[in-house]
Structures are given as C-alpha cells and as structure tokens.
Amino acid sequence: MRLLPPPGAARVLALSTLVNTVGRGVWLTASALFLTRSVGLSVTQVGIGLTVTALVSLVVSTPAGYLADRYGPRGIQFVALLACSGLTAALALVGSFPSFLVVSIAIALADAAFRGARGAVIAGAVPADQRVRTRAYLRATTNVGISVGAALAGVGIAVDTRTGYLALIAVDAVSFLVAAAILTRLAPITPVAAPAHGPRLVALRDRPFLVFTLLDGAMSMHFGLLNIALPLWIAGHTTAPRWLISVLMLVNTTMVVLFQVRAARGTEEVAGAARASRRAGAAIAVACLLFAASGAAAAPVAVALLLAGAFTHVVGELWQSAAGWGISFGLAPAHAQGQYQGAYGMGMQLGGMLAPVVVTTLAIGWGAPGWLVLGALFVGLGALMPPVVRWASRTREPELEAAPV
C-alpha cells in the first residue's frame, strides 16, 4: 500500500515521476487560462493547437520508442526531460497563435521521446516479473503528483495575473530539470542492437499487437466517462447536486493511489492480463448501467447510484490499466521494447482523441440508451481481448505461450 516501491530502480523512477507530474499537474490545470487570458488566444485556437500536438505525438510515438531501443532509453529520456524544460520555459515567450503552434509541436516531439523511452527504461531497469508492478506504482505516483500540481496551480489561478501564470510555467520547467537529475541515479541501460535483417519498425507490422493496441485504446475511452460525460450528465440530466462531481473525481484519484498496485496482481503474464481486461470491460459496463439509472431517480437515490457507479468504474479502470501493461510488455520482443511501448501508447492517445466525441454523443446526446450502448461496447471490447492475446501469443516464441485465457 506504500506509494513508493522498495529501494532500487523502481523507486528512482517513482521519485522522478512524482516530481515531473507535479509540474504537469500545474500546467494541465492552468494552461487553458494562461493561453486565453494572458496570451490572448481564442478557445478555438487553443483547441486546434491541442489537436495538432496530439496528432504529432501519436505519429511520433513508435519511432521515438525505436530511438530509445537503439541509443539507450535512459539517455533519450534524460535528453527529452531537458528539452521539455527549455521548451516549457519558452511558453513565456508565446504571443500569437503561430508561436503557440511552434512551441507546442516542439513540446509534443520532446514529450513523445520521453514517453517512448519510458517503457524501454522500465523494461531495461526492472526485472521482467516486476515491470507491471512498477507501472502500477508509477500510475499511483502520477495521480498524487498531478493532484499536488493542480492544488499549486490554484494559487496562480486565484491571482490571475500574467506574473502568476509565468510563475506556474517556471514551476513546470523546473520540475523537468529535477526529474532529469533524479533519473541520473538510475544505472545506464545498454542499447539493444536492431536485427540485421527485416524492417526497423516491426511493431507497426505486428498485426495481432496492433489489434490489441486498437482494442485497448478503444477501452481507454472510459476515462472520458468520468472526466467529460459524467459532469455533463450530473449537471444536466440528474437531480444530484453538482458538488458530487468533485466527490466522484476524489473517489477515483484516491482509489487509484491506494489500489492500483494491488489491482496489478496476476497481470504479469499475458494470459492473466487478458482475463483482467475482460473483467474490466464488464465492470465498466456495470458502471454505465448505474449511471444510466441515476437519470430517472430522486436526488438521494441518484447520489447513491452515481457513487456506486464511480466505485465500479474505477475498479474496471484499475484492471484495464494493469492489463494493458502486462500484455504490452509480454508481447514485445526484447530488442524492441521501446517501439512496442510507443505503439501501445498510440492506442491510448487515439482513445483519448475519440473519447470526447463518442461519450458525449452517446451518453449526453442519447441519454440513458446511450449509456447502455456504451456498456455493451466495453463488454464487447473486453471479451475480444483474450482471443486476440491468444492469436498474438501463437506468433511469438514458444516461451510466450500462456495458460488458457
């Protein structure tokens, strides 16, 4: 139940992640206000910029992972953190939409290099049977860091001056430097030579792995239920008080911090991870049913249904996250962990891009029937995961063959 893993490589990664995500929490919370109120961009311009940078990050993820495999993931991640620090500081110089696009795209490239190297760093620094557990620790740490950063950002937002926003940018930029300094405590990771023959970006030719990535990415749309659909649903379609939105967010964050490591048990092997993904789809579907039922209930009943749905949803979230890590590590060849983790990240990014349209159209546009459609979708995605993992396992070396899923 501890936030930090035992001493060693995993703890170094957790400490670096904690510092880095405090800065990210600051920026995520204050960025929209800084760009609109201080820089003077329109909401549409901010939205276009964020979409462009998301697409850049999506395209670059796998090549960035390939570079981490070839040149050493710790070094790539260190350089990426330094680049993120300098480019974040450059946000203070942004004064127009074109300059915002240039700096944002550069940050997206550096961030893609960081993310592409992260999976390879874990694979190279942590024993195979501890990789999923380490990812679980890092996710719990991330939730704490972002929450602390969001609280810090509240001070600058309350001041609502350009000086206050620039101070928040400085906090984010410094967090990257401190995270990079902590990362130097990690032993260097030897680069892995590419195979002498064949394509370089093998992850993009691995059909069963790409199908898994698409399924997992589609499953990840459930994050939009809590962040996008549920606040709109509570405010416009239920009799529950609006302050419940904050309570449900707190329930989710607390549960992830306390139980993500425990929920990862049994997902170290691909077979167990596939079964966890199937359970995740079922749990998220139950949450959708509870959310749908809250729309026609009196206030006390609606509150109870929404709380039950939030608890059920986060259980599915914990299983789905752990399952994705176990499968992505387990199916990746030793010489290409970086690019496979980068490809796996593409699915999450794609899910994040699709979620706003899908969840608002169904849950808000269609109402209760839309929630039921979403539930059926998540059940189906979870049910497809075990056969896809069996297919992928048959294309690997014999030692990857797992127990029935």
Side-chain angles (χ1 to χ4, degrees), residues 104-118:
S104 294
I105 289 173
I107 291 175
L109 292 172
D111 187 62
F114 170 81
R115 293 178 183 273
R118 181 174 57 182

Side-chain angles (χ1 to χ4, degrees), residues 116-135:
R118 181 174 57 182
V121 166
I122 296 171
V126 178
D129 62 347
Q130 293 295 312
R131 290 171 183 168
V132 174
R133 185 175 177 83
T134 298
R135 282 296 298 260

Side-chain angles (χ1 to χ4, degrees), residues 89-354:
L91 287 167
L93 304 177
V94 168
S96 64
F97 180 61
S99 62
F100 166 59
L101 272 183
V102 170
V103 175
S104 294
I105 289 173
I107 291 175
L109 292 172
D111 187 62
F114 170 81
R115 293 178 183 273
R118 181 174 57 182
V121 166
I122 296 171
V126 178
D129 62 347
Q130 293 295 312
R131 290 171 183 168
V132 174
R133 185 175 177 83
T134 298
R135 282 296 298 260
Y137 272 116
L138 297 185
R139 183 159 190 258
T141 303
T142 295
N143 272 260
V144 173
I146 288 178
S147 298
V148 172
L152 292 175
V155 177
I157 292 173
V159 174
D160 196 27
T161 64
R162 180 167 178 81
T163 301
Y165 288 120
L166 293 181
L168 296 179
I169 289 175
V171 170
D172 190 17
V174 170
S175 76
F176 285 111
L177 293 178
V178 177
I182 294 173
L183 194 66
T184 60
R185 297 168 56 188
L186 198 67
I189 300 171
T190 305
V192 182
H197 305 286
R200 291 293 180 257
L201 296 180
V202 291
L204 298 182
R205 294 171 177 259
D206 189 334
R207 287 183 293 174
F209 186 84
L210 291 178
V211 172
F212 150 70
T213 295
L214 289 174
L215 289 176
D216 188 76
M219 282 276 284
S220 73
M221 289 193 298
H222 72 80
F223 289 105
L225 299 181
L226 187 71
N227 300 328
I228 302 169
L230 205 53
L232 297 173
W233 177 254
I234 291 173
H237 298 267
T238 76
T239 55
R242 295 189 180 186
W243 52 257
L244 187 64
I245 296 170
S246 297
V247 173
L248 298 185
M249 295 291 185
L250 182 61
V251 166
N252 181 273
T253 301
T254 303
M255 292 276 286
V256 170
V257 171
L258 294 178
F259 297 110
Q260 182 64 81
V261 175
R262 178 174 293 182
R265 293 174 183 171
T267 61
E268 296 83 1
E269 303 294 335
V270 293
R275 290 192 292 269
S277 187
R278 184 169 55 201
R279 294 196 303 271
I284 296 168
V286 171
C288 289
L289 293 176
L290 293 168
F291 294 147
S294 69
V301 178
V303 170
L305 289 169
L306 290 165
L307 284 170
F311 277 107
T312 309
H313 171 269
V314 76
V315 170
E317 175 184 331
L318 296 174
W319 282 335
Q320 188 262 337
S321 297
W325 304 328
I327 296 169
S328 63
F329 278 127
L331 295 181
H335 68 84
Q337 280 285 353
Q339 64 168 290
Y340 268 73
Q341 294 305 309
Y344 164 63
M346 289 172 60
M348 297 287 290
Q349 292 169 312
L350 183 61
M353 293 172 64
L354 294 176

